[in-house]
Amino acid sequence: MIIVLNFGGQYCHLICRRIRDLGVSSEILPFNASKEDILMKQPRGIILSGGPSSVYDEKAPVMKKNMLELGVPILGICYGLQLIAKLSEGEVKQKQREYGKNILRVQKQGILLKGLKKTEQVWASHGDSVLSLPSEFTILASTESCRIAAFENNNRKLFGVQFHPEVTHTPHGKRVLQNFVFEICQSEKDWNMKNLDKLLIDDIKKTVGKHSVLMATSGGVDSTVAAVLFHKAINERVFCIFVDHGLLRRNERSEVENIYSSFGFKNFYTIDASSLFISRLRGVTDPEKKRTIIGTTFIDVFEKKAKEIEKYHPEISFLGQGTIYPDRIESAQPSKEASKIKSHHNLSLPEKMKLKVIEPLKELYKDEVRDLGKTLSIPQEILNRHPFPGPGLAIRIVGEITQERIDIVRNADAIFIEELKKSGFYSKTWQAFAALFPVRTVGVMGDSRTYDYCIVLRAVTSTDAMTADWAKIPQPLLEKISSRIINNVRGVNRVFYDISQKPPATIEYE
Ligand code: XMP
């Protein structure tokens, strides 16, 4: 186990992820974790993360000098390096800033930089630099504007790099982390997806004890993987509520029900609330109003059912959620509220409920969740499914929602997705869907005039949905999809393909 102490750096979690990729367990603790908390985890090594502060800021996150003497090797990254230097009576000063790509000149490999060439590309992001260190430290490398870009002190087992080995822009950063984890800390490989499910299941058992867990499930990858973990840990003591808001994709409800029944879930409840949702949305055209109505209606429906279940199962004390790590960084951004673009309703449930939240996937990235799902034998169709927003088709029908428009967009979407799957493009795109624009235009079909809706096809490539590019789907395929939609979906006489990027556009339309 390698502990990463979080000093507020944006890559803190990535360090943890890279250590796990090396096959070693890793966990983040706050920078002010006590000696006892750290030693209880029996770490082989500790990494001090980067952070936005200067070690001399009044409010800078710091730790006591004796925390460098815990008897395990410590690697400081960026701010972490500066902190080690300061606590060891070195001199840290604001110097020329370094942001982005840089060239590292390795003077001495030591153990930390073993295997690195004389010059290496690294990625840096700092304002302060270490100017001097006591003589017991060996300087290993420098950059043009930073004399001490890496050091080691083998007696005291203190190591530091001013650059970020965890990012892909430092091509041999992995080697530096490997040197620390295996050569210096002598860690053994204990982490892989095969035992991750066991670890998470054990953790759930310990946390939940004799109590039960209530969950809102959507049929998406994250909530399905979380639900299956709960089921494996506590069997019929997980209660899943699946709300059909009438804005799901074609066959989605039966697909979700089938998967849960194939896993043997005893307490799975589908609530058909479509007429309630559709009636509350009648006449509403403002995107944020639509989102709010869907969010509050979802909570109303969920709470009503939860109360019914809780009457017979007072032992329910936990609310299970499929939150993954990127959901948490997004919702933790302080500026997010200030510049709210769209309100996602998924994270607002627990505030209204008096249950303790349990999120077994909260440290994982999407691809790790998919790998975990594979070891849990969840079918590929579920694991590789494109993301689908909580408000469903409502935000893909621009303007007012009517049953006719829902049917049109759902049918067009099914054709689009079927063709993408047949041609192999489904797996090459992050997300693809049809949307309906409430504009009618004139067309001609079989000698008759038509006055019908426009369907817009949106397919994007992305790695995290924060930015996205439009997918370059071949024209013959687009042509086939367009004619299948116009010929088969009544009410549509034109199909458009969206070629805008995010930003400035977004993936969904509302
Ligand atoms: P945008 O449209 O903001 O979408 O570029 C980025 C990603 O988020 C998904 N999305 C949502 N997911 N609840 C969700 O669970 C929501 O309210 C919601 N709105 C957008 C969207 O599908 C895309 O993957």
Side-chain angles (χ1 to χ4, degrees):
M1 146 83 67
I2 299 286
I3 294 284
V4 179
L5 291 184
N6 184 2
F7 287 88
Q10 51 175 328
Y11 301 117
C12 184
H13 200 270
L14 197 55
I15 301 171
C16 204
R17 167 74 202 263
R18 295 287 182 246
I19 306 292
R20 295 200 306 235
D21 285 346
L22 296 175
V24 175
S25 306
S26 181
E27 201 177 310
I28 299 177
L29 288 181
F31 72 90
N32 53 1
S34 70
K35 195 173 160 184
E36 292 71 32
D37 282 349
I38 295 175
L39 292 178
M40 207 173 71
K41 305 268 178 192
Q42 299 181 317
R44 284 285 171 96
I46 297 170
I47 295 182
L48 314 182
S49 83
S53 315
S54 162
V55 286
Y56 291 110
D57 283 351
E58 231 173 78
K59 289 191 179 146
V62 285
M63 53 189 214
K64 289 203 187 106
K65 202 170 167 180
N66 66 5
M67 295 298 275
L68 295 183
E69 317 290 339
L70 294 181
V72 284
I74 297 181
L75 169 67
I77 294 179
C78 197
Y79 177 86
L81 161 138
Q82 294 158 14
L83 192 60
I84 294 177
K86 184 182 173 237
L87 296 176
S88 308
E89 318 299 333
E91 193 187 355
V92 184
K93 274 256 162 74
Q94 187 163 38
K95 257 203 92 206
Q96 196 175 342
R97 290 156 184 246
E98 277 188 326
Y99 291 108
K101 267 187 213 170
N102 242 293
I103 297 297
L104 184 79
R105 286 196 225 99
V106 179
Q107 289 126 24
K108 197 166 178 211
Q109 287 185 335
I111 314 179
L112 188 64
L113 304 187
K114 210 163 121 185
L116 262 60
K117 294 195 291 285
K118 284 233 166 328
T119 55
E120 288 280 351
Q121 180 189 307
V122 294
W123 202 84
S125 174
H126 62 110
D128 289 353
S129 296
V130 177
L131 298 189
S132 67
L133 280 168
S135 59
E136 54 177 334
F137 285 82
T138 309
I139 298 168
L140 302 178
S142 58
T143 63
E144 198 176 332
S145 60
C146 176
R147 193 173 72 84
I148 304 178
F151 64 64
E152 67 184 32
N153 179 336
N154 252 313
N155 284 338
R156 291 175 60 201
K157 296 278 174 240
L158 298 176
F159 304 81
V161 284
Q162 182 58 79
F163 57 90
H164 288 274
E166 69 277 20
V167 305
T168 50
H169 290 98
T170 302
H172 292 123
K174 184 177 170 188
R175 182 64 204 259
V176 177
L177 293 175
Q178 258 171 339
N179 289 340
F180 179 69
V181 169
F182 297 116
E183 301 278 329
I184 296 169
C185 301
Q186 306 278 312
S187 302
E188 280 153 33
K189 292 194 180 191
D190 67 337
W191 173 275
N192 61 44
M193 280 296 157
K194 277 198 195 101
N195 61 24
L196 175 62
D197 59 340
K198 286 186 198 75
L199 288 176
L200 294 176
I201 289 169
D202 278 353
D203 236 34
I204 294 173
K205 281 184 185 163
K206 261 192 239 150
T207 313
V208 174
K210 291 200 165 70
H211 298 269
S212 295
V213 175
L214 187 68
M215 254 202 102
T217 43
S218 67
V221 183
D222 307 338
S223 67
T224 307
V225 172
V228 171
L229 277 176
F230 283 123
H231 189 251
K232 289 203 187 272
I234 54 171
N235 298 306
E236 63 269 26
R237 283 187 289 128
V238 57
F239 295 80
C240 295
I241 300 178
F242 171 54
V243 177
D244 179 354
H245 50 24
L247 299 154
L248 298 171
R249 290 168 285 195
R250 196 202 274 172
N251 299 332
E252 188 151 18
R253 178 164 151 184
S254 56
E255 283 168 15
V256 173
E257 287 171 341
N258 289 341
I259 176 87
Y260 279 84
S261 102
S262 75
F263 271 97
F265 278 75
K266 291 241 165 54
N267 298 308
F268 180 87
Y269 306 91
T270 304
I271 317 288
D272 185 347
S274 39
S275 45
L276 178 65
F277 277 89
I278 309 301
S279 72
R280 288 195 184 174
L281 286 166
R282 194 163 294 135
V284 180
T285 55
D286 178 71
E288 275 303 293
K289 251 194 205 150
K290 279 188 189 177
R291 282 176 171 272
T292 312
I293 291 171
I294 293 169
T296 48
T297 309
F298 185 88
I299 291 169
D300 291 349
V301 173
F302 183 83
E303 276 189 319
K304 189 169 166 230
K305 186 67 194 173
K307 274 191 193 133
E308 261 174 59
I309 299 173
E310 279 168 341
K311 236 190 264 168
Y312 301 98
H313 297 279
E315 80 286 0
I316 293 179
S317 317
F318 290 91
L319 182 72
Q321 291 200 310
T323 319
I324 64 171
Y325 182 71
D327 299 337
R328 295 199 296 144
I329 10 176
E330 269 179 45
S331 59
Q333 278 171 6
S335 59
K336 181 111 175 160
E337 271 310 297
S339 60
K340 186 155 77 183
I341 298 169
K342 299 173 184 187
S343 41
H344 288 210
H345 74 72
N346 320 43
L347 290 163
S348 54
L349 260 179
E351 289 153 27
K352 287 206 70 187
M353 312 204 62
K354 290 186 186 67
L355 298 171
K356 277 177 255 161
V357 175
I358 174 167
E359 300 168 312
L361 311 177
K362 69 174 192 288
E363 299 295 342
L364 305 181
Y365 283 85
K366 195 92 183 173
D367 59 318
E368 291 181 305
V369 174
R370 288 194 165 119
D371 284 347
L372 174 64
K374 230 188 278 171
T375 65
L376 293 169
S377 311
I378 297 173
Q380 287 296 329
E381 308 94 80
I382 301 280
L383 297 176
N384 295 330
R385 222 167 184 196
H386 287 171
F388 187 61
L393 300 177
I395 56 171
R396 295 177 178 176
I397 295 168
V398 176
E400 192 183 349
I401 294 162
T402 63
Q403 193 56 52
E404 183 203 17
R405 290 178 180 183
I406 296 174
D407 293 339
I408 289 177
V409 83
R410 184 179 278 148
N411 291 334
D413 184 74
I415 292 172
F416 185 25
I417 298 302
E418 191 185 310
E419 290 296 337
L420 288 182
K421 283 187 175 162
K422 267 202 271 179
S423 61
F425 271 87
Y426 185 80
S427 56
K428 291 184 195 151
T429 47
W430 165 268
Q431 207 168 353
F433 57 88
L436 181 142
F437 280 8
V439 186
R440 288 180 194 262
T441 64
V442 174
V444 54
M445 248 183 228
D447 295 334
S448 307
R449 177 187 191 267
T450 58
Y451 189 53
D452 285 334
Y453 287 119
C454 301
I455 280 290
V456 181
L457 304 178
R458 179 95 165 122
V460 295
T461 53
S462 176
T463 49
D464 53 10
M466 302 297 281
T467 57
D469 193 8
W470 58 280
K472 313 295 181 289
I473 294 180
Q475 288 179 11
L477 180 56
L478 284 174
E479 187 176 15
K480 187 175 175 199
I481 295 164
S482 161
S483 61
R484 263 196 74 190
I485 291 175
I486 293 173
N487 288 329
N488 293 286
V489 183
R490 214 173 250 194
V492 178
N493 64 0
R494 276 173 213 268
V495 171
F496 295 84
Y497 188 58
D498 187 338
I499 56 166
S500 27
Q501 288 160 336
K502 173 183 178 176
T506 57
I507 296 177
E508 305 286 348
Y509 288 93
E510 290 194 331

